[in-house]
Amino acid sequence: MNYYLRMKEKFENLKNKEDVIILAVESSCDETSIAIVKNGRDVLANIISSQIEIHRRFGGVVPEVASRNHILAISNVFEDALKEAGIDKKDIDAVAVTYGAGLMGALLVGVNFAKGLAYSLDVPLIKVSHVHGHIAANYISHKSLKPPFMCLMVSGGHTAILNVEDYNKMTMLGSTVDDAVGEAFDKVARVLGLPYPGGPEIDKLAESGTKKYNFSVSKSLNKTFNFSFSGIKTEVVNLVHNKKQKGEEIDSADIARSFEESVTDELCSKVMRAARQFDAKQLVVAGGVGANSMLKSKLSQMCDKCAIQFYAPVLRYCTDNAGMIASMGYFMMKDGLGLAQLDLTAKPNVELK
Ligand code: KG4
Ligand code: ZN
């Protein structure tokens, strides 16, 4: 039987196998990660080699530097994952990989590693969208969580509201028309002189600040589920530049607090409106900005009032990791989706739904 048909048959057979072990590879940005997950929910290993320290001196991710460091790290990350999971290579039933969205060169390292591994183990290769992976971070964090739910997707590359009807069926209700919310956090942090990545820094700093400034988000999108964050980002940048020019003190904590309050209010009000309109019983936050403490606390309080169950991934699964890719790969396999061949290539942009 030729390779293509053999993989198709093996992929089909996995649907009915009692225990399915998926090894996943994630290298879309500045984290080289390999995870081994059983039945989509049980994480046996989730190794993350972060390049944050390397990119910090540049104030952001340098794509070429990221690709080179993925190459340096990936084999060790793989060995560590096998060791931590305590399994042998032959126990792996399928290999899942992030094929997009992300940095082209960085993605290619993971995609090529995954292809080589799947071929050598003679197991199916599953291509997973990074953004869908972020949603699945909730399946490994909350063992009984199942669709349907309303999802607020907030990362460094995406900001959207998704009505998730089933594991592989979702409708995008709205998205950002310009910057992703994580991008706005990172730019505001940068102008305040905080290190990369800026989101967690703003989160910490805002705790000691007060909402002194009334930064605003565009009202023109009020009736939609779309977002715009470039205006508020520019407002903050201009304020800081003006203060610097006048030699005034930069009250960073108050600026961080005011920015975070406005942005989280905007995210919460739109996703809650979506949840009410679609009569959602559960609300799920996904992506790196899902780690934000103010966002989680506001959403959790609002959901309580509306008798909606609120979920956020545990912190280590919020930002990029391969555990979430393995989980999504499992639920795709269950629906017969995502089987890739050896001509799989990376895609910098992947449609959200
Ligand atoms: O999901 P992610 O790891 O990567 C992408 O897929 O983009 O998200 C990274 C983004 C960065 O912009 C980072 O600053 C932001 O998530 N982030 C946060 C927090 N932790 C990470 N933003 C706000 N508050 C946080 N605690
Ligand atoms: Zn991500």
Side-chain angles (χ1 to χ4, degrees):
M1 200 190 288
N2 77 21
Y3 179 79
Y4 172 76
L5 292 174
R6 194 166 69 250
M7 285 309 121
K8 215 171 159 207
E9 190 178 310
K10 282 195 175 193
F11 189 62
E12 277 298 313
N13 290 343
L14 284 183
K15 272 189 201 169
N16 303 316
K17 190 169 184 278
E18 195 182 335
D19 284 330
V20 177
I21 293 184
I22 296 186
L23 178 142
V25 183
E26 155 65 40
S27 70
S28 64
C29 191
D30 58 348
E31 257 97 35
T32 320
S33 180
I34 293 192
I36 299 171
V37 176
K38 193 165 96 178
N39 298 335
R41 307 245 184 200
D42 190 4
V43 181
L44 307 181
N46 186 36
I47 308 292
I48 304 169
S49 166
S50 176
Q51 302 175 14
I52 283 180
E53 290 305 326
I54 298 167
H55 295 284
R56 192 162 272 164
R57 80 185 94 131
F58 305 110
V61 179
V62 182
E64 182 54 24
V65 174
S67 319
R68 284 165 191 264
N69 281 286
H70 284 308
I71 294 171
L72 293 176
I74 201 156
S75 299
N76 288 336
V77 172
F78 172 65
E79 292 302 333
D80 288 353
L82 284 180
K83 211 184 292 166
E84 185 165 314
I87 63 158
D88 192 84
K89 275 187 271 199
K90 66 172 176 18
D91 299 326
I92 296 167
D93 293 303
V95 175
V97 64
T98 303
Y99 75 104
L103 302 169
M104 188 64 179
L107 286 164
L108 278 172
V109 178
V111 166
N112 286 319
F113 187 88
K115 283 202 274 191
L117 184 64
Y119 185 72
S120 70
L121 297 175
D122 205 42
V123 297
L125 177 67
I126 306 169
K127 60 171 196 171
V128 178
S129 147
H130 180 80
V131 189
H132 292 164
H134 272 302
I135 299 174
N138 284 282
Y139 303 141
I140 46 185
S141 301
H142 310 285
K143 304 283 180 242
S144 55
L145 173 66
K146 289 185 181 118
F149 50 76
M150 190 57 66
C151 176
L152 177 65
M153 168 63 59
V154 276
S155 74
H158 293 90
T159 305
I161 296 176
L162 299 159
N163 187 21
V164 179
E165 291 153 63
D166 207 339
Y167 290 102
N168 292 293
K169 187 166 183 264
M170 57 193 82
T171 312
M172 191 168 76
L173 304 180
S175 66
T176 179
V177 298
D178 41 53
D179 292 355
V181 65
E183 217 178 325
F185 265 94
D186 291 342
K187 284 188 185 148
V188 164
R190 197 169 172 165
V191 80
L192 292 176
L194 302 169
Y196 169 83
E201 301 289 330
I202 298 268
D203 193 344
K204 260 184 274 164
L205 189 62
E207 278 174 30
S208 58
T210 52
K211 191 178 185 257
K212 192 165 136 190
Y213 302 98
N214 209 0
F215 298 130
S216 54
V217 287
S218 167
K219 302 264 182 295
S220 67
L221 300 171
N222 267 1
K223 290 207 166 79
T224 73
F225 292 118
N226 291 329
F227 300 99
S228 165
F229 296 109
S230 94
I232 187 168
K233 175 199 72 188
T234 309
E235 220 182 316
V236 178
V237 171
N238 288 345
L239 177 86
V240 174
H241 285 165
N242 278 336
K243 278 178 177 278
K244 278 187 185 159
Q245 273 165 4
K246 291 185 196 150
E248 289 175 13
E249 185 211 342
I250 312 289
D251 42 355
S252 297
D254 293 340
I255 295 174
R257 177 65 178 245
S258 309
F259 167 78
E260 200 183 57
E261 289 276 8
S262 296
V263 165
T264 51
D265 280 348
E266 170 71 356
L267 292 169
C268 291
S269 77
K270 283 198 173 144
V271 75
M272 291 308 295
R273 180 157 57 80
R276 283 192 299 268
Q277 189 170 316
F278 287 82
D279 198 23
K281 304 283 183 284
Q282 311 185 99
L283 194 149
V284 165
V285 67
V289 185
N292 185 265
S293 43
M294 189 186 286
L295 178 64
K296 284 194 287 190
S297 131
K298 283 183 181 174
L299 281 177
S300 146
Q301 281 175 30
M302 288 176 174
C303 283
D304 266 1
K305 280 193 196 139
C306 302
I308 293 172
Q309 195 69 38
F310 172 64
Y311 298 91
V314 296
L315 220 49
R316 67 183 174 284
Y317 299 126
C318 255
T319 45
D320 294 347
N321 68 90
M324 65 188 199
I325 303 301
S327 174
M328 193 62 222
Y330 174 83
F331 290 108
M332 288 172 74
M333 174 278 291
K334 280 285 184 190
D335 282 343
L337 298 168
L339 177 64
Q341 294 305 320
L342 294 175
D343 60 356
L344 176 68
T345 190
K347 280 179 86 177
N349 297 304
V350 173
E351 249 190 81
L352 249 181
K353 58 183 175 68

